[in-house]
Amino acid sequence: MTPLYVVYLRPQHDEILRELADLGVRAFATFFRTYPPEIMAHLEKLGAEVIALENVCTEEEKRAMLAEGTARAERVLALMATAPITVDDREAFGLSQAEIADVVGANLGQRLYESTLLVGAFELTAQRYDVSAVVVSEDYSRYPRNILQAARARKIPSYHVAHGAHLGRSYGLFRQSFADFMLVAGVRAAETEAQSGTAPGRIVALGAPQWDPYVAIAGQREKIRAEVRTKCGLAADEPIVLFATTTFESSTPLTDELGKEKTLRGFLAGAKAAQAGGTHFTAIIKDRMYSGKAGRELVDALSAEYGVHALYVEGRPEYLVAAADLVVGSDSNMSIEALLCGVPTLNIWSQNVWINGPYFGRHDGIPHARYDDPQAVGDQIAHLLTDEAYRAAVLANGAAILPSVVLGADGGAARRCATFIVQNAAAASRGMGVAPSGAQGNWHVVDADASALDMLVPPAPARLLALVENTERERLRARFPSADLTLSTATDAQGLDAHDGSFDLVFMGDSLAKMWDPWEFLVRARAKLRPGGRVMAALPNVRNIVLMHGIVDGDMQYGADGADIEHLRFFTRADAIKMFEQTGYALENFFFVRDARCADLNLPSTGTCNVETEKIIVKETTPLTRAELTADHFVVVARSL
Amino acid sequence: MDPHTRTAIIRGKTAAWTSAEAVAVYERAMDDTSGSILLKNAIEPLLIGHHVRGRQILDVGIGTGRASLPLAARGLEVTGVDSSQGMLDATRRRAGDHPITLLPGDVTALPFADASFDSVVSLNVTTHFPHWNDILREWARVVRPGGRMVFDMLSADHVDSVARTAGAAFAALPPDPGGAYQLQVRASELIPEFDRIGLRVVGIFPYGIVSRTIASTSWLRGTLVEGMHWERILSWVAVDPVLFDMLVYIEEALAGSLSTDATGRFMVVVEKTRNVDSNARWLARNVDLARSLASGFSRASIEPFVGEANWVQWTARLREYVMHPPCEIALFRLYDMALAWHFPVDLDDLLGSGAQYIQNLAMRRRAESAVWQFVERLSSHPEIGPLLRVRPDIDPSLEWDLLPGLNERILGRWK
């Protein structure tokens, strides 16, 4: 069967679709949205097939589903009327049954119909194609959640590409993600996700595809500026200060709904103060593109109230940001976008910034002023427009923090995400099963002959220190042809003489077990890694059932069938994880490499059971324990903290 | 605790500070201007400075000099002891021109004759060791009669109290990832030991209400005041003097007046004078205060213990702070923390009209939980749930559709 990817992307992530096709995916299923003609033409040129899931079922089937959805909705509302659903904190909730019924009943039949249609179409498609992956731009809404659950039931891996920088509190919907993997913008976002309870092994920082365009146009700012000036009729010599409105957040009741107006007023009052002080500029107020707009009416009214001439625009933000001399935002995403374009930025603080975020720390060095302090806003605007040294310092600070916020910050995030997804999905199809989402992190069982190098997921390391036997060196070169390789023997780490922060990856074949002090080595290796760099290491498994059987039988079996005579250290999974955690790493992936000798134990892949040999019985094992008992060795991938 | 584990902890902890890396960590913390460390570095030396007496001061486990370099700068004669030569070297460098005597030594074997010092001070030392009573006895040996000992400890009373008020929710929290051994003690364990050693309690001052960096124990867990987002907010104290002052004031003046169950850490101030009756009175007051506070933090529960003047000063100061919007949000988060653990705080008493915005935010926070609970109950309802499901193993996933509508109606009510 043809491998097929199910995709549901926000427009800002459309490039991932193109990249997936460029990486060889030739069949896609989409639902409830169309993609830009140029991307569809590209797919067609490559010969890729695109199925719209909403068109898979016949009209007759759809009618039956709609009727069923409508009937179920009526039944739901009838049940709610007779036995109302209540909450413990009625005072805070405070909604009447009529209000609740209004919300729940709104389009419920249609919603249930759409979900039924989608899942039904997905199931039919899965009969005809080898569905290899589900890729969604955020999985908080109903369609992706339906599909992800249907995919999980079939052990199809799923990927959630995050939209923002995730520098805020995870609340309401955003506090739990469904997909097997969360592809997030950077280390900061990964921290937020981990704090919300997502197992670290499910979180991968690859950059933000939606911000690739900002990097791409950063070099064309003069041209874009001229175009924007012409289009908006602006004087050629007057600086542009772009203020971006923020949204009113209805995803949670814990919000200051006046925040949008507070920051707009803060900007206008600040602009007035700066202009009164003799700093001349054109103020452009960019409203949000999709939801949560401030609206022309409010902007015009407030501009008039403060006596500031401000141009109201709605348009592609990247061009406006690139055209600006200063971007004033009230949330960090706008600041990130400005910095990606090389434009200095100012944040206007209002209470919402500290209620839900996004949060910048003081050390991030992004100038800020409070909404209720117009003089401070005005001073910052004036300072940022006229003091070249200050502008340079703000940009330098931005460049320093960006990599932790947006990995790479190089415009290549869509490609990295697509590469990760394709390689990871391919690994899953080879039996390196994706672990169920849960607190135990991301673990996989791989074949006995699997090479550790194949288990490394992107981004591919550019600078790599490898402690390997001679036989592995060629394989290493072939796997990372463009990497800058520093090779060392298994236990003699000359590479650690390098400067701190020299490597993206330290790869250790069978090395750590042969060292007297692998803990000390890992600490030293961490210093040689760039921030967020990774180690990858193979470790012998002492909890191997064959080995334990031999010991119980009185024979350590040094040699090919038992323990390696060169090993000085032995590890169980827990010991291995603890060693990495104690030495300053966060576990990303844990692979159990099957011991071929355990194949005839015929252990089930699910449920609880005893594992027995002639000499020993391990009682009530879980799948994870069985993976460990039957593993020859482990491969650990961990990120430096 | 079995003797083997006890010995292993003592040895392990003592050895842990000898590495160059440990010294570097402590040195970095001295210079760290990020929020919670800056606050910790302000509050703890401040308390030590307030309560120390006399001119000749011994700092046990001096580390990199956090507690006593400010005392040396005040002109006091400071002697520091540490088991780590690396720490002593670092303190020597940091002391600059201030004279200070530094000696290697163990917390239970101080290289001094009896009654050599006016005060013994120590920061973050007893919290690491199970043999705290041996340690205190040795420290008391080198203090002159009438002299003082000032040191911090982690509060087991606090853990008991949170467990009591929060019940199952507290028990359900995952174990603290910190992992390493930390000593927690109850006031009722301390007093008999002080009686045996011959120490009179001057005061035990709780602190550590605003950050887990200051007190790693439970109070803040699972609330808006936990984790890196709160820490990122705290980072602004370095450039927001009003916020900084308020948080230090909350620690020193407010938390410091409460009973030992109020926060995760406390500063113990004892005098080398045998006075069993005085200690018994102090303990009885602590118990009474804790009992009164169990009903919540209000004028009625606290004023009889701290006096009207203190209460009036607190409310005046806090009402001033709350005019500063960043302080308002910080107070909201702290208030939310108290509510999360079912500890009522009478904000009207404390803040007057300044309470309104914070109370409104707290109500919104409660509404946030209630909305979520509603959607969960709808989805898992035995009759309605199955009707909402496309397949038995696919949950309805209606949150995205329902939450905005419910939220907007709730928000509309508050307009």
Side-chain angles (χ1 to χ4, degrees), chain A residues 93 142 175 252 255 359, chain B residues 333 364 368 372 401 413:
Chain A
F93 190 62
R142 181 163 39 90
R175 71 185 189 189
T252 171
T255 181
Y359 311 100
Chain B
R333 286 191 165 225
R364 287 160 186 259
E368 181 180 64
W372 195 252
D401 299 315
R413 207 174 62 211

Side-chain angles (χ1 to χ4, degrees), chain A residues 452-473:
Chain A
L453 290 172
D454 292 331
M455 298 168 207
L456 189 71
V457 294
R463 295 163 305 164
L464 190 156
L465 167 64
L467 281 68
V468 288
E469 303 296 348
N470 288 338
T471 49
E472 276 186 283
R473 294 187 174 188

Side-chain angles (χ1 to χ4, degrees), chain A residues 69-70 72-74 76-77 80 97-114 142-143, chain B residues 374 378 388 398-406 408-409:
Chain A
T70 308
R72 280 163 49 199
E74 283 168 6
V76 167
L77 293 173
M80 284 177 64
Q97 290 306 316
E99 286 175 303
I100 293 170
D102 263 0
V103 175
V104 175
N107 292 323
L108 182 60
Q110 178 72 19
R111 287 171 179 165
L112 295 175
Y113 154 66
E114 287 167 352
R142 181 163 39 90
Y143 300 149
Chain B
F374 171 79
L378 179 74
L388 294 172
L398 286 169
E399 295 88 344
W400 187 267
D401 299 315
L402 301 186
L403 259 61
L406 295 170
E408 276 164 19
R409 277 167 176 77

Side-chain angles (χ1 to χ4, degrees), chain A residues 294-318:
Chain A
R296 183 184 291 274
E297 204 178 320
L298 177 67
V299 170
D300 286 350
L302 292 181
S303 300
E305 184 183 327
Y306 287 93
V308 174
H309 175 70
L311 206 61
Y312 177 86
V313 294
E314 297 171 272
R316 292 185 59 178
E318 60 267 36

